[in-house]
């Protein structure tokens, strides 16, 4: 919310322009009542129809001026609303991409939700600027107009309105909460029915139609209740505003007779006062009750949801400088939470340039955690991960990012040229370097098929198979000067032969290679193997582990060679 | 013209007595509202006469109170009617969609949009109809009230409204170009964000978040330009619409002025005329309500479409409690299976193989009664449990997703998870088995093993695995295989698979081709056939 307001304040000029045109919009409200009063008083009632008609035509002319003012307000909305939306989107995108919790990755539907909320903020901001501002301008103009015509009664008019507005403001927080609950209930209903309807096969297979119906029905019922709760609040709000708007009229006519009798108030002044109240103030107040508050609520809910989607970003810190390119892990333990079983327990390991380590173990046991610990994305709970003698997560970020490269299983490709995609981590690489890297990982035929470096890629590597996308990601890291390369199941979509070629290419590169293995054949190519299977990790060469670890022997036996026609490579 | 959904809407209206209450309330509030300008005129005349009259003031107060209280009641009643009707429709629809079973004739996304969007549109029918009625009554009442003041006022009003509407009519539609550009660019930014988010680990590890944010945001200037264009167009539309009411008001006021001069009207009556002119215009704003009514009918039709599909018959299936054998006699399903005859004896490990599109999954679905057959007969001796390649995990927590649809307790769920080799993963989650299913970042293999645990916990006589271990690495698959043999000893097991090794382990292999059984026997027997070998070498 604070960010939103400060962004708006940043466009003060645009907002001031809007307010300036609003003054023109307020002109009919300011003069309207008085003109109608005068038209009757000095025109028709005085037997001078021409005067009356002329005053009314003046009223019409002012209405045109007001409409013109409104037109200018709308035309200038873009200058405030669009930059505000840009700032909001920028912040959210940065927040999402900098989010330190690497596990929680929003999927396509979460991104769609973010987009929807941003559009709500945009429309609601425009709505607030149009309606709340109009309300303010109209009410003020009408009250000033009223004060100049029926001065004696101004307090009777102002006090009820101010009281109603104050009460209304007091009700806003509880309204906001109810509105938010309703929005959440709506989302839960969609989620519950979406889960069941997309999983209908599984519902039938589990014979769980009753439980599924109960799950949906519970959310549906809650949503209905939440809607009614909001309606009660709305009714109360509408009543407060309606009373606040109507009381001045009643007070006015109740207190006017003695003033009219004593000549303090003219017919025109009374008419003008009533016109101000019925034609200007009341519609504005009703607008506030009906729409403005709804818009404000929607705005607040959307801003809050956006805040949750993109929490404040944490700046990467670290000023340690590594003294060499070696990794030293001592008694490293890591778990997702203090209560959960640790993923890594008591791991000690040294890695020197030229080392090629394979990490094997069943899927889901937390092999990727190793990658996150080595890249400094997560600090260990206990023990230390030292890179060149310094804790890796405290190494100067630029140094760390240049020295250690991670290729995860899920590939990052963006819309742009193949060159842009390949040079992502090495912006100064020449075309020659890029093509060489592409050739090394065996992606030359792919590059030729795509049409060279200048070819463009669509969203999410559209038109590429998962394996082809992985090849491009591999070439992208190959071309960098990183001295530590971590392949986290980065070859999972390649066939065994292509995988072997990639791993060979990387192991011939200088520095440390860590392969988090998808297939056990990766272990045969490494000079050391780390086995993760829930307990304390096992470390050794392939031969050593075969001799000493029955678990490793079982893993190798279970590995079904019929799928991996490729013959094991001779030891390096 | 009557639409298929109209009958449904009618039953929504007639569900309970609340619509009548709303109508009664609206009648009272509208009457109050229509009497206010006249009451106000009297009160102003009283004020101008300089003599205080209590009754006049009380009358005005009474009418105002009637309207204000009526409006408040109306808001709550309307929300209550709409939300209850929506809930009623949603419950009916979800019940029916569940009864239609699998495969559903309606795509999941489509069904969800009927559940969420269409039900809430159709649920609003009562309120939409009554608001239209209120607007019509209010406008008609205002014209009558104007006529009662002075017939000339009514005449001028009736003539001026259509004329004014004609003069300020909005020629311009929102320029389609800007709207389209806005949507396209907005979609582009979203797609870029989805790209970047799926590459988040790469971005985080390389520390290039800010640079990549810039890449996502690249199209923003075009978005802002299109947006500004939309506002300019809207400005042109708005200012013409803003002129409508003042134009009519001025005409009515001038007429009223002459009425005052001729002595037909009092000064207060001028205000009444002004008030009725504004009230009378309420019908003009009802065009969106008419659109809403059409949308309501269209939505009701979409709901009726679902409700009108009769649930499939499942009569030609016999399930008895017993050993776990399955027999198919001349079973055909659409164009997926043709006259399949098959016997799987109790306790057998059977593999179903075939290239993609051969009908493997349909056969697996028919075996356990997951989908109905068009003709033929399925004889089933025992309950069938399923595990899938991509299971949809349902239920509130991870633990519940294993026990889904059963009353299995924590210990049983845990045992099943241990057997499915997924227990080690689940206890490492932030809240263990109590972690909400939506918050769990599961890989394909993990989801498959939870799906297996879900099948194991039911302790079925027959277990059908529809490619349920495809995402597991070979080590884990072998572990799962072993665990299944231990957890469910002697059960009939039917496995849809692409892996030759799995087929080799099976007691019998059913080889499907174009919806027919091409051959059956052991893997070794079939392996001599070149076409059979092609099933495996061509796949994977």
């Amino acid at each position: 919310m604070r960010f939103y307001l400060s962004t708006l304040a940043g466009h003060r000029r645009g907002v001031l322009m809007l307010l300036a045109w609003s003054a023109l919009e307020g002109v009919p409200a300011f003069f309207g009542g008085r003109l109608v009063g005068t038209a009757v008083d000095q025109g028709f009632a005085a037997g001078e129809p021409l005067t009356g008609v002329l005053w009314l035509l003046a009223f019409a002319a002012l209405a045109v001026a007001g409409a013109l003012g409104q037109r200018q307000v709308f035309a200038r909305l873009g200058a405030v609303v669009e930059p505000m939306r840009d700032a909001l989107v920028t912040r959210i995108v940065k927040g999402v991409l900098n989010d330190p919790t690497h596990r929680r990755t929003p999927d396509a539907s979460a991104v769609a939700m973010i987009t929807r909320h941003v559009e709500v903020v945009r429309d609601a901001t425009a709505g607030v600027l149009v309606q709340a501002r109009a309300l303010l301008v109209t009410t003020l103009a009408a009250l000033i107009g009223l004060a100049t015509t029926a001065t004696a009664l101004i307090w009777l008019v102002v006090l009820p309105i101010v009281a109603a507005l104050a009460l209304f403001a007091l009700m806003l927080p509880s309204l906001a909460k109810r509105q938010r609950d309703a929005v959440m209930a709506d989302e839960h209903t969609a989620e519950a029915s979406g889960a069941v309807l997309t999983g209908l096969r599984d519902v039938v297979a589990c014979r769980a139609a009753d439980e599924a119906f109960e799950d949906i029905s519970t959310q549906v019922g809650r949503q209905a209740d939440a809607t009614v709760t909001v309606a009660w609040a709305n009714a109360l709000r509408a009543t407060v505003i309606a009373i606040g708007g109507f009381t001045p009229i009643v007070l006015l006519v109740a207190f006017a007779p003695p003033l009219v009798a004593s000549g303090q108030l003219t017919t025109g002044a009374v008419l003008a006062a009533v016109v101000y109240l019925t034609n200007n103030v009341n519609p504005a107040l009703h607008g506030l009750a009906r729409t403005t508050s709804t818009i404000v609520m929607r705005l607040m809910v959307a801003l809050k949801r956006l805040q949750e989607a993109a929490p404040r970003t944490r700046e990467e810190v670290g000023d340690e400088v590594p003294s060499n390119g070696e990794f030293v892990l001592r008694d490293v333990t890591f778990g997702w939470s203090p209560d959960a079983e640790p993923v890594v327990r008591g791991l000690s390991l040294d890695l020197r340039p030229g080392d090629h380590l394979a990490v094997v173990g069943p899927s889901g046991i937390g092999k990727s955690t190793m990658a996150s610990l080595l890249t400094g994305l997560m600090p260990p709970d206990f023990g230390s991960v030292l890179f060149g003698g310094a804790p890796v997560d405290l190494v100067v970020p630029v140094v760390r990012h240049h020295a250690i490269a991670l290729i995860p299983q899920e590939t990052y490709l963006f819309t742009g040229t193949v060159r842009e995609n390949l040079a992502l981590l090495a912006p100064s690489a020449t075309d020659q370097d890029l093509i060489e890297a592409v050739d090394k990982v065996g992606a030359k035929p792919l590059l030729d098929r795509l049409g060279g470096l200048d070819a463009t890629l669509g969203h999410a590597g559209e038109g590429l198979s998962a394996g082809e996308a992985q090849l491009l990601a591999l070439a992208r890291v190959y071309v960098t000067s990183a001295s530590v390369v971590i392949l986290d199941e980065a070859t999972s979509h390649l066939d065994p032969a292509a995988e072997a070629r990639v791993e060979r290419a990387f192991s011939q590169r200088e520095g440390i290679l860590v392969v988090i293995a998808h297939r056990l054949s990766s272990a045969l190519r490494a000079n050391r193997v780390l086995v993760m299977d829930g307990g304390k990790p096992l470390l050794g060469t392939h031969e050593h582990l075969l001799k000493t670890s029955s678990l490793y022997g079982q893993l190798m036996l279970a590995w079904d060679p019929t799928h991996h026609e490729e013959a094991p490579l001779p030891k390096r | 013209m009557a639409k298929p959904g109209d009958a449904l809407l009618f039953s929504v209206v007639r569900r309970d007595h609340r619509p009548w209450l709303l109508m009664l309330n609206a009648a009272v509030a509208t009457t109050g509202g229509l009497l206010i300008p006249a009451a106000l005129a009297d009160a102003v005349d009283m004020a101008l006469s300089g003599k205080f009259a209590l009754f006049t003031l009380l009358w005005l107060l009474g009418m105002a109170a009637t309207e204000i209280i009526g409006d408040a009641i109306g808001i709550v009643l309307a929300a209550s009617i709409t939300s209850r009707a929506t809930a009623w429709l949603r419950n009916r629809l979800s019940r029916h969609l569940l009864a239609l079973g699998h495969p559903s004739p309606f795509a999941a996304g489509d069904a969800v949009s009927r559940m969420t969007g269409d039900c809430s549109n159709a649920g609003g029918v009562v309120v939409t109809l009554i608001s239209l009625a209120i607007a019509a009554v209010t406008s008609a009442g205002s014209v009558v009230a104007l006529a009662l003041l002075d017939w000339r006022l009514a005449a001028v009003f009736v003539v001026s409204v259509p004329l004014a509407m004609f003069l300020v009519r909005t020629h311009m539609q929102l320029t389609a170009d800007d709207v389209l550009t806005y949507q396209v660019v907005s979609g582009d930014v979203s797609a870029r964000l989805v790209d970047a988010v799926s590459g988040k680990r790469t971005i985080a590890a390389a520390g290039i978040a800010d640079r990549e944010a810039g890449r996502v945001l690249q199209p923003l200037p075009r978005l802002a330009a299109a947006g500004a264009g939309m506002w300019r167009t809207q400005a042109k539309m708005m200012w013409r619409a803003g002129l409508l009411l003042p134009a009519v008001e001025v005409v009515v006021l001038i007429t009223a002025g002459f009425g005052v001069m001729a002595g037909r009207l009092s000064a207060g009556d001028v205000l009444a005329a002004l008030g009725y002119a504004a009230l009378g215009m309420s019908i003009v704003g009802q065009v969106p309500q008419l659109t809403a009514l059409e949308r309501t009918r269209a939505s009701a039709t979409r709901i009726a479409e679902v409700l009108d599909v009769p649930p499939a018959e499942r009569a030609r299936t016999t399930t008895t409690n017993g050993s776990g054998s399955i027999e198919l006699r001349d079973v055909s399903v659409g164009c997926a299976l043709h006259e399949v005859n098959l016997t799987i004896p109790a306790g057998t490990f059977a593999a179903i193989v075939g290239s993609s599109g051969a009908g493997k999954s349909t056969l697996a679905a028919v075996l356990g009664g997951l989908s109905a057959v068009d003709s033929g007969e399925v004889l089933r001796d025992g309950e069938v449990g399923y595990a899938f390649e991509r299971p949809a995990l349902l239920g509130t927590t991870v633990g519940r997703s294993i026990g889904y649809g059963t009353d299995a307790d924590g210990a049983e769920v845990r045992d099943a998870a241990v057997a499915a080799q997924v227990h080690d993963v689940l206890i490492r989650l932030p809240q263990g088995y109590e972690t909400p299913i939506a918050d769990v970042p599961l890989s394909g293999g993990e989801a498959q093993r939870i799906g297996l645990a879900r099948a194991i916990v039911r302790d079925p006589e027959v277990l059908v695995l529809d490619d349920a271990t495809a995402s597991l690495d070979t080590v884990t698959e072998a572990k799962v295989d072993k665990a299944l043999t231990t957890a469910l000893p002697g059960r009939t097991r039917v496995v849809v698979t692409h892996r030759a090794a799995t087929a080799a382990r099976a007691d019998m292999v059913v080889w499907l081709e174009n919806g027919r059984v091409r051959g059956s026997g052991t893997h070794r027997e079939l392996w001599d056939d070149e076409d059979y070998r092609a099933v495996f070498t061509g796949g994977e």
Side-chain angles (χ1 to χ4, degrees):
Chain A
M1 195 71 199
R2 196 176 304 147
F3 165 78
Y4 173 73
L5 291 177
S6 66
T7 311
L8 268 189
H11 296 95
R12 213 174 292 121
R13 221 182 94 83
V15 176
L16 286 178
M17 284 293 281
L18 276 185
L19 288 179
W21 284 109
S22 305
L24 182 61
E25 201 187 346
V27 165
F30 183 68
F31 289 106
R34 195 199 302 228
L35 289 175
V36 173
T38 316
V40 175
D41 209 14
Q42 297 177 10
F44 300 110
E48 291 186 36
L50 194 64
T51 318
V53 170
L54 280 176
W55 281 119
L56 286 177
L57 285 180
F59 173 83
L62 285 183
V64 174
L68 268 173
Q70 197 185 23
R71 177 182 176 157
Q72 293 299 330
V73 167
F74 266 92
R76 272 161 182 74
L77 267 181
V80 176
V81 174
E82 303 299 325
M84 194 278 310
R85 192 261 341 277
D86 287 355
L88 193 65
V89 171
T90 305
R91 187 181 121 106
I92 286 158
V93 167
K94 286 192 171 161
V96 167
L97 295 185
N98 278 305
D99 186 0
T101 57
H102 299 286
R103 278 179 301 147
R104 202 179 52 107
T105 43
D107 53 6
S109 71
V111 169
M113 189 206 80
I114 290 174
T115 315
R116 269 205 310 280
H117 284 311
V118 168
E119 284 312 299
V120 168
V121 172
R122 171 179 179 259
D123 290 348
T125 305
V128 168
L129 285 175
V130 169
Q131 304 223 20
R133 182 201 43 81
L135 163 85
L136 206 71
V137 169
T138 315
T139 314
L140 273 182
L143 286 180
I144 297 170
L146 203 88
T148 57
T149 47
T151 325
L153 294 173
I154 189 68
W155 292 112
L156 293 178
V157 171
V158 172
L159 283 180
I161 293 175
V162 171
L165 286 176
L167 212 59
F168 180 72
L170 281 179
M171 287 157 66
L172 273 180
S174 88
L175 265 174
K177 196 192 160 300
R178 289 172 180 202
Q179 193 89 29
R180 188 177 142 75
D181 290 347
V183 171
M184 297 297 286
D186 214 25
E187 283 180 15
H188 288 154
T189 307
E191 276 166 20
S193 50
V196 166
L197 293 174
T198 46
L200 208 51
R201 176 197 64 184
D202 296 54
V203 173
V204 177
C206 292
R207 291 176 191 83
D210 288 332
E211 181 165 348
F213 176 73
E214 280 309 314
D215 284 351
I216 295 180
S217 186
T218 308
Q219 299 302 341
V220 165
R222 281 193 195 145
Q223 204 248 338
D225 291 343
T227 315
V228 176
T229 312
V230 171
W232 276 106
N234 279 340
L236 191 62
R237 177 185 65 179
T239 309
V240 165
I241 289 292
I243 293 177
F246 205 78
T247 310
I249 300 174
V250 176
L251 289 177
L252 192 79
V253 289
F255 284 86
L259 295 172
V260 172
S262 68
Q264 277 176 275
L265 273 181
T266 63
T267 308
V270 173
L271 286 182
V274 176
V275 170
Y276 276 128
L277 287 172
T278 55
N279 266 33
N280 302 120
V281 177
N282 252 336
L285 284 177
H286 277 105
L288 174 75
R290 208 177 322 114
T291 46
T292 310
S293 58
T294 321
I295 296 173
V296 173
M297 292 307 133
R298 286 183 57 196
L299 180 63
M300 282 164 71
V301 171
L303 282 172
K304 186 145 187 176
R305 303 285 286 152
L306 284 175
Q307 178 126 36
E308 288 162 3
R312 285 210 76 76
T313 56
R314 178 195 62 168
E315 273 296 303
E316 279 194 307
V317 288
D319 46 12
E320 302 269 353
V321 181
S323 54
N324 56 39
E326 291 179 15
F327 261 111
V328 178
L329 278 71
R330 285 293 170 265
D331 288 323
V332 171
T333 298
F334 177 86
W336 291 121
S337 77
D339 307 330
E341 188 76 8
V343 174
V344 179
R345 196 201 310 252
L347 171 67
S348 293
L349 168 71
D350 290 3
L351 290 170
R352 294 196 176 74
D355 266 349
H356 177 174
L357 176 77
V359 182
V360 302
S363 44
I365 204 73
K367 283 174 293 180
S368 289
T369 311
M370 270 299 292
S372 297
L373 288 170
L374 289 177
T375 43
L377 289 177
M378 295 183 305
D381 293 337
F382 301 103
S384 55
V385 180
L386 304 177
F387 179 59
V392 66
D393 55 315
L394 298 179
V395 168
V396 183
V398 178
V399 176
R400 169 157 53 95
H401 296 317
H402 272 116
I404 308 169
L406 166 71
I407 313 180
Q409 186 175 13
E410 52 298 340
T411 311
Y412 173 43
L413 289 181
F414 49 84
T415 174
T417 62
V418 174
R419 181 184 292 103
E420 284 170 335
N421 272 281
L422 287 175
L424 178 73
L425 305 177
S428 53
T430 62
D431 283 5
Q432 189 62 41
D433 297 338
L434 295 178
I435 290 170
E436 205 179 294
V438 164
D439 192 39
K440 283 280 187 202
V441 300
K444 193 73 190 18
L446 169 64
L447 185 67
D448 293 341
R449 182 174 74 79
L450 288 175
L453 293 173
D454 289 317
T456 43
L457 295 179
H459 285 298
E462 195 186 354
L464 293 178
S465 73
E468 290 170 336
Q470 283 188 332
L471 279 179
L472 292 181
L474 288 158
R476 167 194 288 168
V477 168
Y478 191 93
V479 80
T480 63
S481 53
S483 61
V484 181
V485 172
I486 302 163
L487 307 183
D488 184 1
E489 305 208 6
T491 51
S492 59
H493 296 294
L494 300 184
D495 61 59
E499 177 179 68
R501 174 168 185 167
V502 166
E503 285 182 13
R504 257 192 319 252
F506 273 99
S507 68
Q508 279 156 14
R509 219 170 152 273
E510 279 175 25
I512 298 172
L513 174 65
V514 177
V515 178
I516 307 217
H518 183 68
R519 298 187 184 91
L520 279 172
S521 43
S522 294
L524 305 177
R525 286 186 286 265
N527 58 13
R528 267 192 303 166
V529 180
L530 174 69
V531 185
M532 290 176 69
D533 198 14
K536 197 168 159 51
L538 295 165
L539 185 67
T541 62
H542 173 65
E543 289 78 11
H544 175 75
L545 285 172
L546 269 186
K547 263 182 239 150
T548 56
S549 162
S550 60
L551 171 73
Y552 189 69
Q554 281 170 13
L555 285 173
M556 277 296 159
L557 271 183
W559 170 48
D560 185 352
T562 52
H563 287 284
H564 307 276
E565 295 79 6
E566 172 218 20
L569 294 168
K571 285 266 310 143
R572 289 190 300 159
Chain B
M1 222 177 72
K3 284 192 179 177
D6 291 353
L8 184 68
L9 288 179
F10 193 57
S11 63
V12 168
V13 175
R14 292 190 5 151
R15 264 185 67 240
D16 59 15
H17 57 275
R18 269 181 286 213
W20 297 107
L21 280 181
L22 182 63
M23 210 129 55
L24 186 69
N25 178 69
V28 174
T30 309
T31 310
L34 277 172
L35 290 176
I36 286 178
L40 185 61
D42 288 346
V44 169
D45 283 337
M46 171 207 79
L48 291 178
S49 72
K51 277 192 240 92
F52 184 79
L54 186 62
F55 177 77
T56 313
L57 203 64
L58 286 180
W59 176 249
L60 176 63
L61 265 177
M63 290 306 104
T66 310
E67 196 199 18
I68 291 171
I69 294 170
D71 280 352
I73 294 175
I75 290 174
V76 176
L77 260 182
S80 156
I81 291 171
T82 304
S83 65
R84 298 292 157 212
T86 305
W88 181 75
L89 284 168
R90 283 180 174 162
N91 282 335
R92 258 191 88 176
L93 189 62
S94 59
R95 189 46 107 193
H96 196 80
L97 281 165
L98 284 165
L100 286 180
H102 171 80
S104 174
F106 302 92
D110 181 36
V112 173
S113 93
R114 288 175 207 244
M115 274 286 291
T116 51
D118 290 320
C119 283
S120 91
N121 281 345
V125 62
V126 173
V127 174
T128 308
L129 282 175
I130 293 182
S131 348
L132 272 171
I134 293 175
V137 170
T138 305
S139 289
S142 303
V143 174
V144 172
L146 282 175
L148 287 177
L149 284 173
D150 183 350
W151 64 266
R152 294 169 189 84
L153 287 173
V156 163
F157 178 79
V158 169
V159 174
S160 69
V161 170
L163 203 65
M165 280 177 79
F166 176 75
L167 284 176
V168 303
R169 77 189 184 283
T170 48
H171 299 278
M172 283 158 293
Q173 294 298 313
L174 274 178
T175 38
D177 280 354
D178 281 335
V179 177
L180 194 67
T181 311
Y182 192 88
Q183 282 167 350
V184 169
V185 180
S186 174
D188 188 26
V189 173
S190 292
R192 281 163 185 259
L193 183 56
V194 171
D195 282 355
V197 157
S198 44
K200 221 171 112 182
R201 275 191 94 213
T202 302
I203 291 171
I208 49 173
D210 285 341
R211 213 172 80 203
E212 293 316 290
R215 196 190 303 284
V216 171
L217 299 171
Q218 217 177 328
L220 274 190
R222 281 200 296 141
L223 192 65
M230 281 160 70
W231 292 118
R232 278 194 299 275
T233 317
Q234 203 169 347
K236 285 181 205 158
M237 286 170 60
M238 283 303 296
W239 96 282
R240 284 166 170 255
L243 286 176
L244 184 58
L245 183 61
V248 174
E249 276 178 347
V250 166
V251 177
V252 169
L253 277 175
I254 292 175
T255 316
F258 281 102
V260 171
M261 213 170 64
R264 288 190 300 268
L265 297 173
S266 69
D269 289 339
V270 175
L271 291 181
L274 198 58
Y276 285 121
L279 272 182
M281 298 284 285
S282 54
I283 196 77
V284 176
Q286 293 304 306
V287 180
Q289 289 288 342
L290 283 173
T291 325
L293 188 62
E294 271 315 297
R295 204 173 53 219
T296 299
R297 294 177 70 201
S299 286
T301 304
R302 274 168 57 77
I303 298 168
E305 258 168 38
V306 178
L307 298 179
D308 289 345
V309 177
E313 267 184 77
R314 280 160 204 281
R316 276 174 298 228
T317 317
T318 333
T319 304
T320 48
N321 274 332
S323 58
S325 65
I326 295 184
E327 192 180 341
L328 264 56
R329 291 183 189 156
D330 290 325
V331 165
S332 297
V333 177
C335 43
L337 289 180
H338 309 285
E339 291 158 23
V340 172
N341 284 292
L342 187 65
T343 307
I344 299 175
T348 313
F349 175 8
I352 302 175
V353 303
S355 47
S356 45
K360 299 188 296 292
S361 286
T362 311
L363 179 59
V366 164
L367 287 176
L370 199 54
S371 30
V373 299
D374 292 337
S375 65
E377 204 176 354
V378 182
L379 301 172
R380 205 176 294 126
D381 198 10
E383 286 296 317
V384 178
Y386 274 98
F388 301 105
E389 182 190 1
R390 288 195 188 85
L393 298 177
L394 303 155
T396 42
T397 62
V398 178
R400 199 57 221 140
S401 74
I402 293 177
Y404 194 63
T406 70
D407 43 17
D409 61 22
E412 288 167 315
V413 165
R414 212 180 157 85
D415 288 347
V418 170
Q421 302 289 317
V422 74
H423 174 70
D424 285 347
V425 176
L426 299 187
I427 50 170
R428 285 176 174 78
L429 292 174
Q431 292 160 261
Y433 280 79
E434 296 305 310
T435 312
I437 193 84
D439 298 350
V440 185
L442 290 171
S443 71
E446 287 157 3
Q448 280 182 2
R449 280 176 286 161
I450 295 177
L452 266 172
R454 187 174 70 185
I456 293 171
V457 85
R458 278 149 220 281
D459 194 16
E461 278 81 22
V462 183
L463 190 58
V464 177
L465 307 183
D466 186 356
D467 225 357
T469 51
S471 285
L472 303 190
D473 58 65
T474 36
V475 179
T476 314
E477 192 199 13
K479 279 183 152 188
V480 165
D481 204 37
K482 203 172 149 202
L484 278 180
T485 320
T486 323
L488 302 170
R491 298 309 144 80
T492 311
R493 204 155 17 124
V494 184
V495 179
V496 174
T497 188
H498 289 98
R499 289 180 174 165
T502 312
R505 280 201 302 273
D507 300 326
M508 67 178 283
V509 175
V510 180
W511 172 21
L512 287 184
E513 197 177 84
N514 298 326
R516 293 174 201 277
V517 179
R518 168 85 187 262
S520 66
T522 65
H523 182 65
R524 193 181 292 272
E525 286 161 12
L526 293 167
W527 192 251
D528 291 336
D529 192 323
E530 194 186 333
D531 290 352
Y532 181 76
R533 291 200 299 274
V535 168
F536 300 99
T537 47
E540 275 274 271

